Amino acid sequence: HTFGDWKELLGYLEDPNPFSCLLLTSSEVKRNDSSCKVISRHAPVIERRRPYGAGLARWVVNRFAFLGMEADEDIARTMIDIAGTGLMELTSEIEKVSLYAGDRKVIQQSDLKATVPGGVENIFSLLDSVGERDSSSSLHLLRVLTDSGIRPEFILHMIARHYRQLLRGKVMVSGGMTPQAAAKKLGIRFAGLQKKFTTQLGMVQMSELERGIRELSRCDLKLTTGSIPEDILLDSLLVQ
Protein backbone atom coordinates (compact mmCIF):
# COMPACT_ATOMS: atom_id res chain seq x y z
CA HIS A 1 0.00 0.00 0.00
CA THR A 2 1.11 3.60 -0.61
CA PHE A 3 1.59 6.17 2.11
CA GLY A 4 -1.59 7.86 0.89
CA ASP A 5 -3.56 4.64 1.38
CA TRP A 6 -2.35 4.28 4.97
CA LYS A 7 -3.03 7.96 5.72
CA GLU A 8 -6.60 7.60 4.45
CA LEU A 9 -7.15 4.38 6.41
CA LEU A 10 -5.78 5.79 9.65
CA GLY A 11 -7.87 8.90 9.19
CA TYR A 12 -10.97 6.73 8.94
CA LEU A 13 -9.99 4.63 11.99
CA GLU A 14 -9.69 7.81 14.08
CA ASP A 15 -13.24 8.83 13.15
CA PRO A 16 -15.13 5.75 11.84
CA ASN A 17 -18.76 5.55 10.78
CA PRO A 18 -20.51 4.39 13.99
CA PHE A 19 -23.01 2.31 11.97
CA SER A 20 -20.44 0.31 9.98
CA CYS A 21 -18.18 -2.64 10.72
CA LEU A 22 -14.80 -2.70 8.96
CA LEU A 23 -12.96 -6.03 8.72
CA LEU A 24 -9.45 -6.13 7.26
CA THR A 25 -7.60 -9.37 6.47
CA SER A 26 -4.02 -9.93 5.34
CA SER A 27 -1.78 -12.94 4.87
CA GLU A 28 1.33 -10.74 4.79
CA VAL A 29 1.08 -8.38 7.76
CA LYS A 30 2.70 -9.74 10.93
CA ARG A 31 1.61 -8.83 14.45
CA ASN A 32 4.90 -7.06 15.20
CA ASP A 33 4.84 -4.97 11.99
CA SER A 34 4.63 -1.22 12.51
CA SER A 35 1.43 -1.02 10.45
CA CYS A 36 -0.21 -3.65 12.66
CA LYS A 37 0.84 -1.80 15.80
CA VAL A 38 -0.65 1.43 14.49
CA ILE A 39 -3.96 -0.26 13.62
CA SER A 40 -4.08 -1.96 17.05
CA ARG A 41 -4.34 1.49 18.69
CA HIS A 42 -7.72 1.95 17.06
CA ALA A 43 -9.15 -1.57 16.61
CA PRO A 44 -8.70 -5.16 17.85
CA VAL A 45 -6.09 -7.16 15.95
CA ILE A 46 -6.51 -10.95 15.91
CA GLU A 47 -3.78 -13.24 14.59
CA ARG A 48 -4.93 -16.56 13.11
CA ARG A 49 -1.99 -18.80 12.27
CA ARG A 50 -2.30 -21.54 9.68
CA PRO A 51 -2.50 -24.93 11.46
CA TYR A 52 0.07 -27.65 10.79
CA GLY A 53 0.72 -31.19 12.06
CA ALA A 54 -1.36 -32.12 15.09
CA GLY A 55 -2.97 -28.68 14.99
CA LEU A 56 -4.21 -29.31 11.45
CA ALA A 57 -5.69 -32.68 12.49
CA ARG A 58 -7.56 -30.93 15.32
CA TRP A 59 -8.75 -28.32 12.82
CA VAL A 60 -10.23 -31.10 10.65
CA VAL A 61 -11.95 -32.65 13.70
CA ASN A 62 -13.37 -29.24 14.64
CA ARG A 63 -14.52 -28.60 11.07
CA PHE A 64 -16.47 -31.85 11.11
CA ALA A 65 -17.94 -30.80 14.49
CA PHE A 66 -19.00 -27.47 12.98
CA LEU A 67 -21.07 -29.48 10.48
CA GLY A 68 -22.58 -31.54 13.29
CA MET A 69 -20.41 -34.59 12.64
CA GLU A 70 -18.03 -36.50 14.91
CA ALA A 71 -14.63 -37.61 13.58
CA ASP A 72 -11.54 -38.81 15.45
CA GLU A 73 -7.96 -37.82 14.70
CA ASP A 74 -7.28 -41.02 12.74
CA ILE A 75 -9.98 -39.92 10.31
CA ALA A 76 -8.53 -36.41 10.30
CA ARG A 77 -5.01 -37.60 9.48
CA THR A 78 -6.37 -39.76 6.65
CA MET A 79 -8.26 -36.76 5.28
CA ILE A 80 -5.04 -34.73 5.30
CA ASP A 81 -3.17 -37.53 3.51
CA ILE A 82 -5.90 -37.64 0.87
CA ALA A 83 -6.67 -33.95 0.36
CA GLY A 84 -3.39 -32.32 1.38
CA THR A 85 -2.85 -29.46 3.83
CA GLY A 86 -4.73 -26.72 1.97
CA LEU A 87 -7.63 -25.47 4.10
CA MET A 88 -9.91 -24.77 1.15
CA GLU A 89 -9.35 -28.26 -0.29
CA LEU A 90 -9.85 -29.87 3.12
CA THR A 91 -13.05 -27.89 3.70
CA SER A 92 -14.44 -29.09 0.38
CA GLU A 93 -13.58 -32.73 1.06
CA ILE A 94 -14.96 -32.57 4.63
CA GLU A 95 -18.27 -31.31 3.26
CA LYS A 96 -18.38 -34.13 0.68
CA VAL A 97 -17.69 -36.79 3.32
CA SER A 98 -20.31 -35.30 5.66
CA LEU A 99 -22.93 -35.35 2.92
CA TYR A 100 -22.00 -38.94 2.07
CA ALA A 101 -22.45 -40.00 5.73
CA GLY A 102 -26.01 -38.70 5.64
CA ASP A 103 -27.96 -39.10 8.88
CA ARG A 104 -25.09 -40.85 10.67
CA LYS A 105 -23.26 -38.43 12.95
CA VAL A 106 -20.04 -40.44 13.39
CA ILE A 107 -17.65 -40.46 10.43
CA GLN A 108 -16.15 -43.86 9.59
CA GLN A 109 -13.19 -44.80 7.38
CA SER A 110 -15.62 -46.19 4.80
CA ASP A 111 -17.21 -42.73 4.46
CA LEU A 112 -13.98 -41.44 2.97
CA LYS A 113 -14.83 -43.22 -0.29
CA ALA A 114 -16.66 -39.97 -1.07
CA THR A 115 -13.30 -38.26 -1.42
CA VAL A 116 -11.28 -41.16 -2.89
CA PRO A 117 -12.45 -42.58 -6.24
CA GLY A 118 -12.55 -46.37 -5.99
CA GLY A 119 -12.99 -46.24 -2.22
CA VAL A 120 -10.57 -45.46 0.58
CA GLU A 121 -10.76 -49.11 1.67
CA ASN A 122 -8.84 -50.06 -1.50
CA ILE A 123 -6.05 -47.66 -0.54
CA PHE A 124 -5.59 -49.34 2.84
CA SER A 125 -5.99 -52.81 1.36
CA LEU A 126 -3.17 -51.93 -1.03
CA LEU A 127 -0.97 -50.79 1.86
CA ASP A 128 -1.69 -54.04 3.71
CA SER A 129 -0.83 -56.08 0.62
CA VAL A 130 2.43 -54.18 0.19
CA GLY A 131 3.29 -54.63 3.87
CA GLU A 132 2.48 -58.36 3.66
CA ARG A 133 4.47 -58.73 0.39
CA ASP A 134 1.47 -59.96 -1.56
CA SER A 135 2.50 -58.82 -5.05
CA SER A 136 -0.51 -60.35 -6.83
CA SER A 137 -3.02 -58.59 -4.60
CA SER A 138 -0.99 -55.36 -4.70
CA LEU A 139 -1.04 -55.25 -8.50
CA HIS A 140 -4.78 -55.96 -8.62
CA LEU A 141 -5.59 -53.20 -6.13
CA LEU A 142 -3.22 -50.83 -7.89
CA ARG A 143 -5.13 -51.36 -11.13
CA VAL A 144 -8.48 -50.80 -9.37
CA LEU A 145 -7.24 -47.50 -7.94
CA THR A 146 -5.64 -46.17 -11.13
CA ASP A 147 -8.68 -47.20 -13.22
CA SER A 148 -10.82 -45.21 -10.74
CA GLY A 149 -8.79 -42.08 -11.37
CA ILE A 150 -6.40 -42.10 -8.39
CA ARG A 151 -3.20 -40.28 -9.30
CA PRO A 152 0.07 -42.25 -9.09
CA GLU A 153 1.57 -39.45 -6.97
CA PHE A 154 -1.03 -40.04 -4.26
CA ILE A 155 -0.46 -43.82 -4.32
CA LEU A 156 3.30 -43.30 -3.96
CA HIS A 157 2.72 -40.87 -1.11
CA MET A 158 0.56 -43.35 0.78
CA ILE A 159 2.99 -46.25 0.29
CA ALA A 160 5.90 -44.07 1.43
CA ARG A 161 3.89 -42.98 4.49
CA HIS A 162 3.20 -46.62 5.34
CA TYR A 163 6.87 -47.55 4.98
CA ARG A 164 7.94 -44.67 7.20
CA GLN A 165 5.37 -45.71 9.80
CA LEU A 166 6.65 -49.30 9.74
CA LEU A 167 10.22 -48.04 10.03
CA ARG A 168 9.34 -45.92 13.06
CA GLY A 169 7.65 -48.97 14.56
CA LYS A 170 10.74 -51.10 14.01
CA VAL A 171 12.91 -48.47 15.70
CA MET A 172 10.56 -48.40 18.71
CA VAL A 173 10.52 -52.20 18.98
CA SER A 174 14.33 -52.35 18.71
CA GLY A 175 14.41 -49.91 21.63
CA GLY A 176 12.46 -52.30 23.82
CA MET A 177 8.85 -51.31 23.13
CA THR A 178 6.30 -54.03 22.37
CA PRO A 179 4.80 -54.02 18.83
CA GLN A 180 1.37 -53.27 20.29
CA ALA A 181 2.71 -50.32 22.27
CA ALA A 182 4.54 -49.06 19.18
CA ALA A 183 1.30 -49.22 17.17
CA LYS A 184 -0.53 -47.17 19.83
CA LYS A 185 2.34 -44.69 19.98
CA LEU A 186 1.98 -44.19 16.23
CA GLY A 187 -1.72 -43.43 16.59
CA ILE A 188 -3.05 -46.84 15.46
CA ARG A 189 -5.81 -47.38 18.01
CA PHE A 190 -8.25 -49.89 16.53
CA ALA A 191 -7.55 -53.52 17.47
CA GLY A 192 -7.93 -54.83 13.91
CA LEU A 193 -5.52 -52.25 12.48
CA GLN A 194 -3.05 -52.83 15.32
CA LYS A 195 -3.03 -56.55 14.57
CA LYS A 196 -2.30 -55.96 10.88
CA PHE A 197 0.43 -53.44 11.71
CA THR A 198 2.18 -55.65 14.26
CA THR A 199 2.03 -58.62 11.86
CA GLN A 200 3.69 -56.53 9.16
CA LEU A 201 6.34 -55.37 11.64
CA GLY A 202 7.32 -59.00 12.17
CA MET A 203 7.49 -59.73 8.44
CA VAL A 204 9.93 -57.01 7.39
CA GLN A 205 13.49 -56.05 8.31
CA MET A 206 14.58 -52.50 9.04
CA SER A 207 17.11 -52.62 6.17
CA GLU A 208 14.31 -53.60 3.76
CA LEU A 209 12.22 -50.64 4.82
CA GLU A 210 15.14 -48.25 4.44
CA ARG A 211 15.84 -49.66 0.98
CA GLY A 212 12.15 -49.41 0.08
CA ILE A 213 11.98 -45.75 1.11
CA ARG A 214 15.02 -44.97 -1.06
CA GLU A 215 13.41 -46.80 -3.99
CA LEU A 216 10.16 -44.87 -3.48
CA SER A 217 12.12 -41.62 -3.59
CA ARG A 218 13.76 -42.65 -6.88
CA CYS A 219 10.37 -43.71 -8.24
CA ASP A 220 8.91 -40.33 -7.31
CA LEU A 221 11.72 -38.58 -9.20
CA LYS A 222 11.14 -40.73 -12.30
CA LEU A 223 7.42 -40.04 -12.05
CA THR A 224 8.08 -36.29 -11.90
CA THR A 225 10.40 -36.31 -14.90
CA GLY A 226 8.17 -38.65 -16.91
CA SER A 227 11.14 -40.79 -17.97
CA ILE A 228 9.11 -44.02 -17.55
CA PRO A 229 5.36 -44.57 -18.18
CA GLU A 230 3.37 -44.34 -14.93
CA ASP A 231 1.83 -47.82 -15.10
CA ILE A 232 5.15 -49.54 -15.76
CA LEU A 233 6.83 -47.56 -12.98
CA LEU A 234 4.25 -48.48 -10.34
CA ASP A 235 4.02 -52.12 -11.45
CA SER A 236 7.78 -52.54 -11.26
CA LEU A 237 7.83 -50.93 -7.81
CA LEU A 238 5.26 -53.37 -6.39
CA VAL A 239 6.86 -56.55 -7.73
CA GLN A 240 10.31 -55.77 -6.31
Side-chain angles (χ1 to χ4, degrees):
H1 298 289
T2 65
F3 177 75
D5 292 333
W6 277 113
K7 186 176 181 181
E8 187 174 346
L9 172 62
L10 293 176
Y12 176 81
L13 291 176
E14 289 173 356
D15 185 23
N17 182 338
F19 300 103
S20 67
C21 177
L22 178 64
L23 175 66
L24 302 175
T25 64
S26 174
S27 59
E28 299 178 1
V29 175
K30 302 295 188 296
R31 195 175 185 85
N32 58 353
D33 288 350
S34 58
S35 56
C36 187
K37 291 178 180 178
V38 171
I39 292 174
S40 67
R41 297 173 191 161
H42 304 279
V45 174
I46 301 173
E47 184 177 21
R48 300 290 294 176
R49 295 189 178 184
R50 182 188 180 94
Y52 292 98
L56 183 57
R58 288 192 295 273
W59 183 89
V60 171
V61 170
N62 291 336
R63 190 68 191 179
F64 272 116
F66 175 77
L67 297 175
M69 311 299 286
E70 181 182 338
D72 61 26
E73 291 200 6
D74 285 339
I75 293 286
R77 284 189 288 268
T78 303
M79 288 290 301
I80 294 166
D81 285 332
I82 292 170
T85 59
L87 300 186
M88 290 183 64
E89 291 80 3
L90 278 169
T91 298
S92 175
E93 297 307 314
I94 288 168
E95 290 174 353
K96 285 199 297 184
V97 170
S98 298
L99 288 171
Y100 181 86
D103 293 334
R104 287 185 292 101
K105 295 303 181 183
V106 179
I107 299 297
Q108 303 169 357
Q109 286 282 354
S110 58
D111 294 323
L112 301 189
K113 65 178 66 175
T115 194
V116 178
V120 72
E121 65 274 13
N122 284 325
I123 284 285
F124 291 104
S125 294
L126 172 64
L127 299 181
D128 288 336
S129 296
V130 170
E132 294 163 8
R133 302 177 180 179
D134 186 346
S135 297
S136 176
S137 179
S138 296
L139 290 171
H140 168 70
L141 289 164
L142 173 64
R143 196 64 57 232
V144 170
L145 290 166
T146 54
D147 288 348
S148 299
I150 296 291
R151 294 296 303 151
E153 294 87 349
F154 173 68
I155 296 172
L156 271 183
H157 164 75
M158 293 299 287
I159 294 174
R161 175 182 178 273
H162 190 58
Y163 267 54
R164 288 193 294 269
Q165 198 170 38
L166 284 170
L167 182 59
R168 290 176 64 193
K170 292 292 284 189
V171 170
M172 291 176 186
V173 170
S174 67
M177 191 176 291
T178 66
Q180 292 76 14
K184 289 181 180 179
K185 183 76 173 178
L186 291 169
I188 304 171
R189 296 180 177 83
F190 296 109
L193 296 178
Q194 284 182 13
K195 184 176 180 180
K196 288 182 178 181
F197 185 77
T198 55
T199 298
Q200 292 172 32
L201 278 181
M203 295 177 66
V204 67
Q205 300 298 316
M206 196 177 300
S207 58
E208 293 174 316
L209 292 169
E210 292 171 341
R211 185 169 61 252
I213 290 172
R214 289 195 297 270
E215 185 57 37
L216 283 162
S217 179
R218 284 192 288 267
C219 188
D220 183 54
L221 179 61
K222 292 175 183 176
L223 193 63
T224 303
T225 59
S227 58
I228 300 177
E230 294 175 350
D231 55 343
I232 295 176
L233 191 61
L234 290 173
D235 285 355
S236 62
L237 176 69
L238 294 184
V239 298
Q240 290 183 14

